[in-house]
Amino acid sequence: MENMQLILASNLRRIREERRLSLDKVSELTGVSKSMLGQIERGESNPTLQTVWKIANGLRVSLTDLTEVPRSETVVISKEDISPIVSDNGLFRVYPVFPFDGETRSEILAIVLEKGAYSCSEAHNAKTLEYVLVFEGEVTIMAGSEEYVLKAGEAIKFRADCTHSYHNSGDGVARFCNVMFYPE
């Protein structure tokens, strides 16, 4: 594992540069002296936890944003690595391809509905949005009192803060992607 001092130095410099902040501005935001910030960025100082918290709070980032090695933004997912959530006697399968991400406030699900499959969802939190893109088959979506029939190549965006349901109303398997956005 990399030295914590070097991880902190790299993360602080990256965050500051991404936000186009001078050391003076970071000092103003955090209450940590410019000279101490410079030493931290150069890996010349091993600051106390209290100092790291002051920097995190002042920059409005989490402690781990400063203290962990950033993960690659590129992630490859294989369907075989995902355990589906199954309902309707196995006819309705949800694959959480990208589980909830607190930064983007979203999750991406791959959904497979066998012929006749049906699932009803309770209302989600206020202003939650669902984006659905049908790849194969036909899906009937009820959102509140409105009904929408989507075929392969069609998409819909709807507020999911009402009762809503999915039904494979076609003759074969239906496959679609569901992107859910959860506002704060």
Side-chain angles (χ1 to χ4, degrees), residues 22-36:
S22 66
L23 282 174
D24 284 324
K25 185 63 178 177
V26 174
S27 177
E28 179 184 319
L29 292 170
T30 64
V32 176
S33 73
K34 178 181 171 182
S35 62
M36 173 59 81

Side-chain angles (χ1 to χ4, degrees), residues 5 17 27 43 146:
Q5 234 174 292
E17 289 173 354
S27 177
E146 299 292 320

Side-chain angles (χ1 to χ4, degrees), residues 67-129:
T67 59
E68 289 187 358
V69 176
R71 294 183 182 161
S72 173
E73 291 188 29
T74 302
V75 179
V76 176
I77 305 292
S78 172
K79 187 175 176 184
E80 290 75 34
D81 296 333
I82 304 169
S83 297
I85 301 162
V86 179
S87 67
D88 194 13
N89 296 313
L91 298 177
F92 189 95
R93 296 184 302 280
V94 177
Y95 296 84
V97 179
F98 292 101
F100 177 75
D101 178 328
E103 188 175 320
T104 64
R105 313 249 358 119
S106 64
E107 63 185 336
I108 300 176
L109 311 169
I111 301 178
V112 178
L113 286 74
E114 299 295 334
K115 183 176 179 180
Y118 175 84
S119 181
C120 185
S121 294
E122 295 297 317
H124 299 303
N125 291 335
K127 297 184 181 177
T128 298
L129 297 174

